[in-house]
Amino acid sequence: MVAAPLGPRATGSDSRGERLNKLRILLLALAYACFWALFVLFPYPSNVVPESYTSYDAAPVFASSVVTLVTMALSGGVLVALRDGLAERVAGSTMAVVGSGAALLACGAALIVSAHIGAIPLWLMVAYPAIMAIYGVVAAVALAGASRRLSSRDNAVVLALSLFLSFLIGEAIVALTDPLPTGEISNPLMPALGGVFLVILGRLGRSDSEPPSPPRPASSLSGRAAALAAAILLCYLLGSGAFMSLSSVARGETWFSDGWIHCAVALGLYPAFCLCAFAAWRQGRAGYPWLGFFILCIACLYCTALLYAPLAVLCRALILPSRPMAIMLLWVAVQEGMRARGLPWWQSAVVAPMLTVAVDCAIHAIGLVGLSSAQMDSVVNAVMLVTAFVMTLGMLWFVRLRLDGADPARSGYLAGAIDVSAVIAALADEHGLSEREGEVLGLLYRGNTQKKIAERLFLSVNSIQTYAKSLYRKLGVHSRQELIDMVNEAVDKGDRAR
């Protein structure tokens, strides 16, 4: 499965390829949209275990999270043992996506039928989270395989759009299925729907004339900054998840809530996020709202902890839309951090979901203590206040890292090692190169001909010549050899600085 980068296109014969690439981008956003539902919806289909969960006995959900986490860990271990070969096959396998998605739907349907006719077998309660975990890993690897063809700024647009589409698709599914006797299947149906878009995306990408993948773009965060961003987001997922899972879900609220306040917040927040991401894309930047989102999340936690009693509805409406954003940005932070350290592309597809599920395990473990409703609310408030305070300290450290130049977009150096791609990114940033000019610079440095670069970037040779002339002028060089010497000199300076 492939998705070509967005960007300038040649006219004439390239117009069909441009339309096809835009369709791939849209399908990738739709697939991501359904994927997020795996980590924000209730672990089981609605009304399967309502009584025990409402009474704060979180044992069934905690056990579900543990089974999901263990299955994901085992799946990741298999990928590590067999390395890139298996990940590449899974990323391009229609059978893996269809098979795991069908198994998820079948198991969800079996749970609903069992709940209506009598007791649910224990093996079925265990099988469902295990199958969900397998499907999640398959879908995550497929998504990572498709998105690696995109630059950081293109991925920002895709992921921002996916949040808005996820909300719309989820609300539509709930509206269409709730009046039906099988309305509870909306939960497994939402993530399994992502498999449909993945399969279509994979078929669009299968072509004997498909050019090879372009080199992976340099990370937009340093290893330290990405790790810190991931830690801040995990804190938020812990604090907000404690509130949602132990206070609000028990009152019937889910991500795809029918509350008008929640819908209004989501319809205001997600399109604004999309517009900001697109504006950043137009300026050649990735546009992930790290600092702004951290401030928003910290404010949400403090306000929820202090105002939950008089303003419970408003607090839930603020937390519900922000958690999917946090999960999406956690995915980005893990992906950027692993890219900065030169780790395989598919590892983030396993690590990011495992971190999310691990937080869920910690949240539901609190429910095993058996506290009363009043005691549980006090514990949840304490968790939110502590995590908000830790997030505040982390955000200040994150700002310091960015101001000190820890971001490779400023410094060009990776944590613990000099990477040529990061040096090239630093040169591009220093001399004001556009995103596309930076890509052409890297390919020229690696010895590619202009024809080869045009094939890899899905552009015409004339477009590549235009980009090459522009970057030569901005860098102050007159030949490829001068360009290579300039990059090598920057790498040598970095080595000496270490």
PDB file of all heavy atoms in Angstrom, residues 201-238:
ATOM      1  N   LEU A 201      -7.318   1.037  -0.392  1.00  0.00           N
ATOM      2  CA  LEU A 201      -6.050   1.751  -0.514  1.00  0.00           C
ATOM      3  C   LEU A 201      -4.951   0.826  -1.030  1.00  0.00           C
ATOM      4  O   LEU A 201      -4.139   1.207  -1.874  1.00  0.00           O
ATOM      5  CB  LEU A 201      -5.653   2.337   0.842  1.00  0.00           C
ATOM      6  CG  LEU A 201      -4.353   3.142   0.909  1.00  0.00           C
ATOM      7  CD1 LEU A 201      -4.460   4.384   0.033  1.00  0.00           C
ATOM      8  CD2 LEU A 201      -4.037   3.532   2.347  1.00  0.00           C
ATOM      9  N   GLY A 202      -4.942  -0.402  -0.525  1.00  0.00           N
ATOM     10  CA  GLY A 202      -3.944  -1.354  -0.981  1.00  0.00           C
ATOM     11  C   GLY A 202      -4.093  -1.702  -2.448  1.00  0.00           C
ATOM     12  O   GLY A 202      -3.104  -1.848  -3.170  1.00  0.00           O
ATOM     13  N   ARG A 203      -5.320  -1.833  -2.897  1.00  0.00           N
ATOM     14  CA  ARG A 203      -5.544  -2.174  -4.310  1.00  0.00           C
ATOM     15  C   ARG A 203      -5.172  -1.004  -5.222  1.00  0.00           C
ATOM     16  O   ARG A 203      -4.694  -1.214  -6.334  1.00  0.00           O
ATOM     17  CB  ARG A 203      -6.994  -2.588  -4.526  1.00  0.00           C
ATOM     18  CG  ARG A 203      -7.349  -3.894  -3.829  1.00  0.00           C
ATOM     19  CD  ARG A 203      -8.691  -4.446  -4.265  1.00  0.00           C
ATOM     20  NE  ARG A 203      -8.951  -5.727  -3.637  1.00  0.00           N
ATOM     21  CZ  ARG A 203      -8.463  -6.894  -4.040  1.00  0.00           C
ATOM     22  NH1 ARG A 203      -7.677  -6.926  -5.104  1.00  0.00           N
ATOM     23  NH2 ARG A 203      -8.760  -8.008  -3.420  1.00  0.00           N
ATOM     24  N   LEU A 204      -5.377   0.212  -4.755  1.00  0.00           N
ATOM     25  CA  LEU A 204      -4.957   1.360  -5.550  1.00  0.00           C
ATOM     26  C   LEU A 204      -3.438   1.418  -5.665  1.00  0.00           C
ATOM     27  O   LEU A 204      -2.903   1.900  -6.656  1.00  0.00           O
ATOM     28  CB  LEU A 204      -5.454   2.661  -4.903  1.00  0.00           C
ATOM     29  CG  LEU A 204      -6.923   2.999  -5.077  1.00  0.00           C
ATOM     30  CD1 LEU A 204      -7.246   4.270  -4.291  1.00  0.00           C
ATOM     31  CD2 LEU A 204      -7.259   3.204  -6.545  1.00  0.00           C
ATOM     32  N   GLY A 205      -2.755   0.902  -4.639  1.00  0.00           N
ATOM     33  CA  GLY A 205      -1.312   0.990  -4.641  1.00  0.00           C
ATOM     34  C   GLY A 205      -0.620  -0.118  -5.396  1.00  0.00           C
ATOM     35  O   GLY A 205       0.588  -0.079  -5.579  1.00  0.00           O
ATOM     36  N   ARG A 206      -1.357  -1.144  -5.830  1.00  0.00           N
ATOM     37  CA  ARG A 206      -0.734  -2.278  -6.511  1.00  0.00           C
ATOM     38  C   ARG A 206      -0.601  -1.997  -7.994  1.00  0.00           C
ATOM     39  O   ARG A 206      -1.583  -1.964  -8.726  1.00  0.00           O
ATOM     40  CB  ARG A 206      -1.554  -3.538  -6.298  1.00  0.00           C
ATOM     41  CG  ARG A 206      -1.463  -4.031  -4.858  1.00  0.00           C
ATOM     42  CD  ARG A 206      -2.375  -5.209  -4.635  1.00  0.00           C
ATOM     43  NE  ARG A 206      -2.359  -5.616  -3.245  1.00  0.00           N
ATOM     44  CZ  ARG A 206      -3.215  -6.475  -2.719  1.00  0.00           C
ATOM     45  NH1 ARG A 206      -4.161  -7.001  -3.463  1.00  0.00           N
ATOM     46  NH2 ARG A 206      -3.144  -6.802  -1.447  1.00  0.00           N
ATOM     47  N   SER A 207       0.590  -1.788  -8.419  1.00  0.00           N
ATOM     48  CA  SER A 207       0.853  -1.509  -9.827  1.00  0.00           C
ATOM     49  C   SER A 207       2.262  -1.960 -10.153  1.00  0.00           C
ATOM     50  O   SER A 207       3.201  -1.695  -9.412  1.00  0.00           O
ATOM     51  CB  SER A 207       0.691  -0.011 -10.107  1.00  0.00           C
ATOM     52  OG  SER A 207       1.118   0.284 -11.414  1.00  0.00           O
ATOM     53  N   ASP A 208       2.400  -2.653 -11.271  1.00  0.00           N
ATOM     54  CA  ASP A 208       3.716  -3.131 -11.663  1.00  0.00           C
ATOM     55  C   ASP A 208       4.657  -1.980 -11.978  1.00  0.00           C
ATOM     56  O   ASP A 208       5.873  -2.118 -11.906  1.00  0.00           O
ATOM     57  CB  ASP A 208       3.599  -4.039 -12.902  1.00  0.00           C
ATOM     58  CG  ASP A 208       2.835  -5.319 -12.584  1.00  0.00           C
ATOM     59  OD1 ASP A 208       2.819  -5.702 -11.403  1.00  0.00           O
ATOM     60  OD2 ASP A 208       2.261  -5.919 -13.516  1.00  0.00           O
ATOM     61  N   SER A 209       4.095  -0.837 -12.355  1.00  0.00           N
ATOM     62  CA  SER A 209       4.925   0.302 -12.699  1.00  0.00           C
ATOM     63  C   SER A 209       5.145   1.244 -11.518  1.00  0.00           C
ATOM     64  O   SER A 209       5.644   2.343 -11.682  1.00  0.00           O
ATOM     65  CB  SER A 209       4.273   1.092 -13.849  1.00  0.00           C
ATOM     66  OG  SER A 209       2.998   1.575 -13.452  1.00  0.00           O
ATOM     67  N   GLU A 210       4.740   0.813 -10.315  1.00  0.00           N
ATOM     68  CA  GLU A 210       4.856   1.664  -9.137  1.00  0.00           C
ATOM     69  C   GLU A 210       6.322   1.955  -8.847  1.00  0.00           C
ATOM     70  O   GLU A 210       7.127   1.045  -8.723  1.00  0.00           O
ATOM     71  CB  GLU A 210       4.236   0.953  -7.927  1.00  0.00           C
ATOM     72  CG  GLU A 210       3.981   1.855  -6.751  1.00  0.00           C
ATOM     73  CD  GLU A 210       2.812   2.780  -6.994  1.00  0.00           C
ATOM     74  OE1 GLU A 210       1.726   2.301  -7.324  1.00  0.00           O
ATOM     75  OE2 GLU A 210       3.020   4.000  -6.860  1.00  0.00           O
ATOM     76  N   PRO A 211       6.735   3.214  -8.744  1.00  0.00           N
ATOM     77  CA  PRO A 211       8.122   3.522  -8.451  1.00  0.00           C
ATOM     78  C   PRO A 211       8.459   3.165  -7.011  1.00  0.00           C
ATOM     79  O   PRO A 211       7.574   3.042  -6.175  1.00  0.00           O
ATOM     80  CB  PRO A 211       8.206   5.037  -8.673  1.00  0.00           C
ATOM     81  CG  PRO A 211       6.815   5.515  -8.482  1.00  0.00           C
ATOM     82  CD  PRO A 211       5.916   4.412  -8.943  1.00  0.00           C
ATOM     83  N   PRO A 212       9.736   2.990  -6.685  1.00  0.00           N
ATOM     84  CA  PRO A 212      10.116   2.638  -5.320  1.00  0.00           C
ATOM     85  C   PRO A 212       9.821   3.763  -4.345  1.00  0.00           C
ATOM     86  O   PRO A 212       9.635   4.918  -4.735  1.00  0.00           O
ATOM     87  CB  PRO A 212      11.630   2.397  -5.431  1.00  0.00           C
ATOM     88  CG  PRO A 212      12.047   3.176  -6.639  1.00  0.00           C
ATOM     89  CD  PRO A 212      10.875   3.110  -7.580  1.00  0.00           C
ATOM     90  N   SER A 213       9.779   3.406  -3.073  1.00  0.00           N
ATOM     91  CA  SER A 213       9.467   4.390  -2.047  1.00  0.00           C
ATOM     92  C   SER A 213      10.564   5.433  -1.965  1.00  0.00           C
ATOM     93  O   SER A 213      11.745   5.109  -2.065  1.00  0.00           O
ATOM     94  CB  SER A 213       9.324   3.706  -0.678  1.00  0.00           C
ATOM     95  OG  SER A 213       8.288   2.765  -0.708  1.00  0.00           O
ATOM     96  N   PRO A 214      10.210   6.709  -1.774  1.00  0.00           N
ATOM     97  CA  PRO A 214      11.232   7.732  -1.583  1.00  0.00           C
ATOM     98  C   PRO A 214      11.870   7.574  -0.213  1.00  0.00           C
ATOM     99  O   PRO A 214      11.324   6.895   0.655  1.00  0.00           O
ATOM    100  CB  PRO A 214      10.427   9.042  -1.672  1.00  0.00           C
ATOM    101  CG  PRO A 214       9.059   8.660  -1.234  1.00  0.00           C
ATOM    102  CD  PRO A 214       8.853   7.250  -1.709  1.00  0.00           C
ATOM    103  N   PRO A 215      13.034   8.179   0.007  1.00  0.00           N
ATOM    104  CA  PRO A 215      13.661   8.059   1.319  1.00  0.00           C
ATOM    105  C   PRO A 215      12.780   8.647   2.407  1.00  0.00           C
ATOM    106  O   PRO A 215      12.054   9.606   2.180  1.00  0.00           O
ATOM    107  CB  PRO A 215      14.967   8.861   1.165  1.00  0.00           C
ATOM    108  CG  PRO A 215      14.815   9.671  -0.051  1.00  0.00           C
ATOM    109  CD  PRO A 215      13.796   8.995  -0.919  1.00  0.00           C
ATOM    110  N   ARG A 216      12.831   8.056   3.570  1.00  0.00           N
ATOM    111  CA  ARG A 216      11.995   8.495   4.675  1.00  0.00           C
ATOM    112  C   ARG A 216      12.407   9.892   5.123  1.00  0.00           C
ATOM    113  O   ARG A 216      13.593  10.171   5.308  1.00  0.00           O
ATOM    114  CB  ARG A 216      12.162   7.517   5.832  1.00  0.00           C
ATOM    115  CG  ARG A 216      11.242   7.738   7.001  1.00  0.00           C
ATOM    116  CD  ARG A 216      11.390   6.625   8.008  1.00  0.00           C
ATOM    117  NE  ARG A 216      12.772   6.433   8.377  1.00  0.00           N
ATOM    118  CZ  ARG A 216      13.189   5.436   9.150  1.00  0.00           C
ATOM    119  NH1 ARG A 216      12.343   4.536   9.557  1.00  0.00           N
ATOM    120  NH2 ARG A 216      14.449   5.309   9.461  1.00  0.00           N
ATOM    121  N   PRO A 217      11.455  10.826   5.283  1.00  0.00           N
ATOM    122  CA  PRO A 217      11.819  12.178   5.695  1.00  0.00           C
ATOM    123  C   PRO A 217      12.372  12.195   7.111  1.00  0.00           C
ATOM    124  O   PRO A 217      12.065  11.332   7.933  1.00  0.00           O
ATOM    125  CB  PRO A 217      10.496  12.942   5.613  1.00  0.00           C
ATOM    126  CG  PRO A 217       9.444  11.895   5.755  1.00  0.00           C
ATOM    127  CD  PRO A 217      10.010  10.660   5.116  1.00  0.00           C
ATOM    128  N   ALA A 218      13.219  13.179   7.382  1.00  0.00           N
ATOM    129  CA  ALA A 218      13.791  13.305   8.716  1.00  0.00           C
ATOM    130  C   ALA A 218      12.698  13.632   9.734  1.00  0.00           C
ATOM    131  O   ALA A 218      11.680  14.233   9.418  1.00  0.00           O
ATOM    132  CB  ALA A 218      14.856  14.401   8.742  1.00  0.00           C
ATOM    133  N   SER A 219      12.936  13.228  10.984  1.00  0.00           N
ATOM    134  CA  SER A 219      11.963  13.489  12.035  1.00  0.00           C
ATOM    135  C   SER A 219      11.861  14.983  12.307  1.00  0.00           C
ATOM    136  O   SER A 219      12.835  15.719  12.216  1.00  0.00           O
ATOM    137  CB  SER A 219      12.384  12.754  13.310  1.00  0.00           C
ATOM    138  OG  SER A 219      11.596  13.141  14.396  1.00  0.00           O
ATOM    139  N   SER A 220      10.658  15.452  12.633  1.00  0.00           N
ATOM    140  CA  SER A 220      10.464  16.859  12.979  1.00  0.00           C
ATOM    141  C   SER A 220      10.654  17.115  14.466  1.00  0.00           C
ATOM    142  O   SER A 220      10.562  18.249  14.918  1.00  0.00           O
ATOM    143  CB  SER A 220       9.067  17.325  12.559  1.00  0.00           C
ATOM    144  OG  SER A 220       8.080  16.590  13.247  1.00  0.00           O
ATOM    145  N   LEU A 221      10.912  16.060  15.258  1.00  0.00           N
ATOM    146  CA  LEU A 221      11.229  16.191  16.674  1.00  0.00           C
ATOM    147  C   LEU A 221      12.500  15.411  16.970  1.00  0.00           C
ATOM    148  O   LEU A 221      12.743  14.359  16.371  1.00  0.00           O
ATOM    149  CB  LEU A 221      10.097  15.645  17.549  1.00  0.00           C
ATOM    150  CG  LEU A 221       8.796  16.430  17.667  1.00  0.00           C
ATOM    151  CD1 LEU A 221       7.832  15.675  18.568  1.00  0.00           C
ATOM    152  CD2 LEU A 221       9.041  17.815  18.223  1.00  0.00           C
ATOM    153  N   SER A 222      13.299  15.907  17.892  1.00  0.00           N
ATOM    154  CA  SER A 222      14.444  15.125  18.337  1.00  0.00           C
ATOM    155  C   SER A 222      13.952  13.946  19.181  1.00  0.00           C
ATOM    156  O   SER A 222      12.795  13.897  19.593  1.00  0.00           O
ATOM    157  CB  SER A 222      15.381  16.002  19.167  1.00  0.00           C
ATOM    158  OG  SER A 222      14.768  16.329  20.406  1.00  0.00           O
ATOM    159  N   GLY A 223      14.844  13.013  19.424  1.00  0.00           N
ATOM    160  CA  GLY A 223      14.463  11.861  20.242  1.00  0.00           C
ATOM    161  C   GLY A 223      14.005  12.268  21.625  1.00  0.00           C
ATOM    162  O   GLY A 223      13.012  11.750  22.149  1.00  0.00           O
ATOM    163  N   ARG A 224      14.698  13.219  22.248  1.00  0.00           N
ATOM    164  CA  ARG A 224      14.342  13.657  23.597  1.00  0.00           C
ATOM    165  C   ARG A 224      13.001  14.391  23.595  1.00  0.00           C
ATOM    166  O   ARG A 224      12.158  14.180  24.467  1.00  0.00           O
ATOM    167  CB  ARG A 224      15.436  14.562  24.157  1.00  0.00           C
ATOM    168  CG  ARG A 224      16.744  13.852  24.460  1.00  0.00           C
ATOM    169  CD  ARG A 224      17.800  14.847  24.891  1.00  0.00           C
ATOM    170  NE  ARG A 224      17.419  15.526  26.122  1.00  0.00           N
ATOM    171  CZ  ARG A 224      18.051  16.596  26.608  1.00  0.00           C
ATOM    172  NH1 ARG A 224      19.061  17.113  25.937  1.00  0.00           N
ATOM    173  NH2 ARG A 224      17.660  17.137  27.731  1.00  0.00           N
ATOM    174  N   ALA A 225      12.816  15.286  22.617  1.00  0.00           N
ATOM    175  CA  ALA A 225      11.561  16.046  22.563  1.00  0.00           C
ATOM    176  C   ALA A 225      10.380  15.122  22.291  1.00  0.00           C
ATOM    177  O   ALA A 225       9.302  15.294  22.864  1.00  0.00           O
ATOM    178  CB  ALA A 225      11.657  17.137  21.492  1.00  0.00           C
ATOM    179  N   ALA A 226      10.561  14.137  21.413  1.00  0.00           N
ATOM    180  CA  ALA A 226       9.477  13.202  21.114  1.00  0.00           C
ATOM    181  C   ALA A 226       9.130  12.359  22.328  1.00  0.00           C
ATOM    182  O   ALA A 226       7.955  12.111  22.615  1.00  0.00           O
ATOM    183  CB  ALA A 226       9.873  12.311  19.932  1.00  0.00           C
ATOM    184  N   ALA A 227      10.154  11.888  23.053  1.00  0.00           N
ATOM    185  CA  ALA A 227       9.899  11.086  24.251  1.00  0.00           C
ATOM    186  C   ALA A 227       9.169  11.902  25.306  1.00  0.00           C
ATOM    187  O   ALA A 227       8.252  11.407  25.981  1.00  0.00           O
ATOM    188  CB  ALA A 227      11.220  10.555  24.813  1.00  0.00           C
ATOM    189  N   LEU A 228       9.551  13.171  25.453  1.00  0.00           N
ATOM    190  CA  LEU A 228       8.889  14.029  26.427  1.00  0.00           C
ATOM    191  C   LEU A 228       7.449  14.309  26.016  1.00  0.00           C
ATOM    192  O   LEU A 228       6.537  14.293  26.851  1.00  0.00           O
ATOM    193  CB  LEU A 228       9.664  15.336  26.571  1.00  0.00           C
ATOM    194  CG  LEU A 228       9.143  16.324  27.620  1.00  0.00           C
ATOM    195  CD1 LEU A 228       9.082  15.679  29.002  1.00  0.00           C
ATOM    196  CD2 LEU A 228      10.025  17.571  27.657  1.00  0.00           C
ATOM    197  N   ALA A 229       7.221  14.559  24.733  1.00  0.00           N
ATOM    198  CA  ALA A 229       5.848  14.776  24.253  1.00  0.00           C
ATOM    199  C   ALA A 229       4.985  13.549  24.505  1.00  0.00           C
ATOM    200  O   ALA A 229       3.828  13.666  24.930  1.00  0.00           O
ATOM    201  CB  ALA A 229       5.872  15.121  22.766  1.00  0.00           C
ATOM    202  N   ALA A 230       5.543  12.365  24.246  1.00  0.00           N
ATOM    203  CA  ALA A 230       4.794  11.127  24.500  1.00  0.00           C
ATOM    204  C   ALA A 230       4.457  10.978  25.978  1.00  0.00           C
ATOM    205  O   ALA A 230       3.351  10.571  26.339  1.00  0.00           O
ATOM    206  CB  ALA A 230       5.591   9.920  24.001  1.00  0.00           C
ATOM    207  N   ALA A 231       5.413  11.319  26.859  1.00  0.00           N
ATOM    208  CA  ALA A 231       5.172  11.207  28.303  1.00  0.00           C
ATOM    209  C   ALA A 231       4.066  12.173  28.739  1.00  0.00           C
ATOM    210  O   ALA A 231       3.203  11.814  29.558  1.00  0.00           O
ATOM    211  CB  ALA A 231       6.462  11.496  29.070  1.00  0.00           C
ATOM    212  N   ILE A 232       4.067  13.395  28.209  1.00  0.00           N
ATOM    213  CA  ILE A 232       3.030  14.373  28.559  1.00  0.00           C
ATOM    214  C   ILE A 232       1.659  13.873  28.112  1.00  0.00           C
ATOM    215  O   ILE A 232       0.665  13.960  28.848  1.00  0.00           O
ATOM    216  CB  ILE A 232       3.350  15.734  27.914  1.00  0.00           C
ATOM    217  CG1 ILE A 232       4.638  16.314  28.513  1.00  0.00           C
ATOM    218  CG2 ILE A 232       2.193  16.714  28.121  1.00  0.00           C
ATOM    219  CD1 ILE A 232       5.129  17.555  27.795  1.00  0.00           C
ATOM    220  N   LEU A 233       1.593  13.334  26.898  1.00  0.00           N
ATOM    221  CA  LEU A 233       0.316  12.839  26.383  1.00  0.00           C
ATOM    222  C   LEU A 233      -0.174  11.628  27.162  1.00  0.00           C
ATOM    223  O   LEU A 233      -1.376  11.467  27.389  1.00  0.00           O
ATOM    224  CB  LEU A 233       0.472  12.502  24.899  1.00  0.00           C
ATOM    225  CG  LEU A 233       0.686  13.717  23.992  1.00  0.00           C
ATOM    226  CD1 LEU A 233       1.180  13.279  22.626  1.00  0.00           C
ATOM    227  CD2 LEU A 233      -0.586  14.526  23.855  1.00  0.00           C
ATOM    228  N   LEU A 234       0.744  10.764  27.581  1.00  0.00           N
ATOM    229  CA  LEU A 234       0.355   9.610  28.400  1.00  0.00           C
ATOM    230  C   LEU A 234      -0.219  10.077  29.735  1.00  0.00           C
ATOM    231  O   LEU A 234      -1.182   9.487  30.249  1.00  0.00           O
ATOM    232  CB  LEU A 234       1.549   8.687  28.611  1.00  0.00           C
ATOM    233  CG  LEU A 234       1.968   7.843  27.407  1.00  0.00           C
ATOM    234  CD1 LEU A 234       3.282   7.127  27.688  1.00  0.00           C
ATOM    235  CD2 LEU A 234       0.886   6.818  27.074  1.00  0.00           C
ATOM    236  N   CYS A 235       0.381  11.121  30.313  1.00  0.00           N
ATOM    237  CA  CYS A 235      -0.169  11.675  31.552  1.00  0.00           C
ATOM    238  C   CYS A 235      -1.602  12.155  31.339  1.00  0.00           C
ATOM    239  O   CYS A 235      -2.481  11.921  32.188  1.00  0.00           O
ATOM    240  CB  CYS A 235       0.710  12.827  32.039  1.00  0.00           C
ATOM    241  SG  CYS A 235       2.243  12.331  32.843  1.00  0.00           S
ATOM    242  N   TYR A 236      -1.818  12.830  30.220  1.00  0.00           N
ATOM    243  CA  TYR A 236      -3.172  13.322  29.964  1.00  0.00           C
ATOM    244  C   TYR A 236      -4.152  12.176  29.771  1.00  0.00           C
ATOM    245  O   TYR A 236      -5.279  12.220  30.271  1.00  0.00           O
ATOM    246  CB  TYR A 236      -3.196  14.230  28.737  1.00  0.00           C
ATOM    247  CG  TYR A 236      -4.590  14.739  28.449  1.00  0.00           C
ATOM    248  CD1 TYR A 236      -5.200  15.637  29.307  1.00  0.00           C
ATOM    249  CD2 TYR A 236      -5.308  14.288  27.350  1.00  0.00           C
ATOM    250  CE1 TYR A 236      -6.487  16.091  29.080  1.00  0.00           C
ATOM    251  CE2 TYR A 236      -6.597  14.738  27.103  1.00  0.00           C
ATOM    252  CZ  TYR A 236      -7.184  15.639  27.976  1.00  0.00           C
ATOM    253  OH  TYR A 236      -8.463  16.075  27.761  1.00  0.00           O
ATOM    254  N   LEU A 237      -3.732  11.144  29.038  1.00  0.00           N
ATOM    255  CA  LEU A 237      -4.614   9.989  28.844  1.00  0.00           C
ATOM    256  C   LEU A 237      -4.930   9.319  30.176  1.00  0.00           C
ATOM    257  O   LEU A 237      -6.046   8.821  30.380  1.00  0.00           O
ATOM    258  CB  LEU A 237      -3.964   8.992  27.888  1.00  0.00           C
ATOM    259  CG  LEU A 237      -3.887   9.432  26.424  1.00  0.00           C
ATOM    260  CD1 LEU A 237      -3.134   8.387  25.594  1.00  0.00           C
ATOM    261  CD2 LEU A 237      -5.277   9.651  25.847  1.00  0.00           C
ATOM    262  N   LEU A 238      -3.972   9.325  31.095  1.00  0.00           N
ATOM    263  CA  LEU A 238      -4.214   8.741  32.412  1.00  0.00           C
ATOM    264  C   LEU A 238      -5.219   9.576  33.198  1.00  0.00           C
ATOM    265  O   LEU A 238      -6.206   9.053  33.731  1.00  0.00           O
ATOM    266  CB  LEU A 238      -2.900   8.629  33.179  1.00  0.00           C
ATOM    267  CG  LEU A 238      -2.991   8.095  34.605  1.00  0.00           C
ATOM    268  CD1 LEU A 238      -3.549   6.667  34.617  1.00  0.00           C
ATOM    269  CD2 LEU A 238      -1.634   8.139  35.296  1.00  0.00           C
TER     270      LEU A 238
END
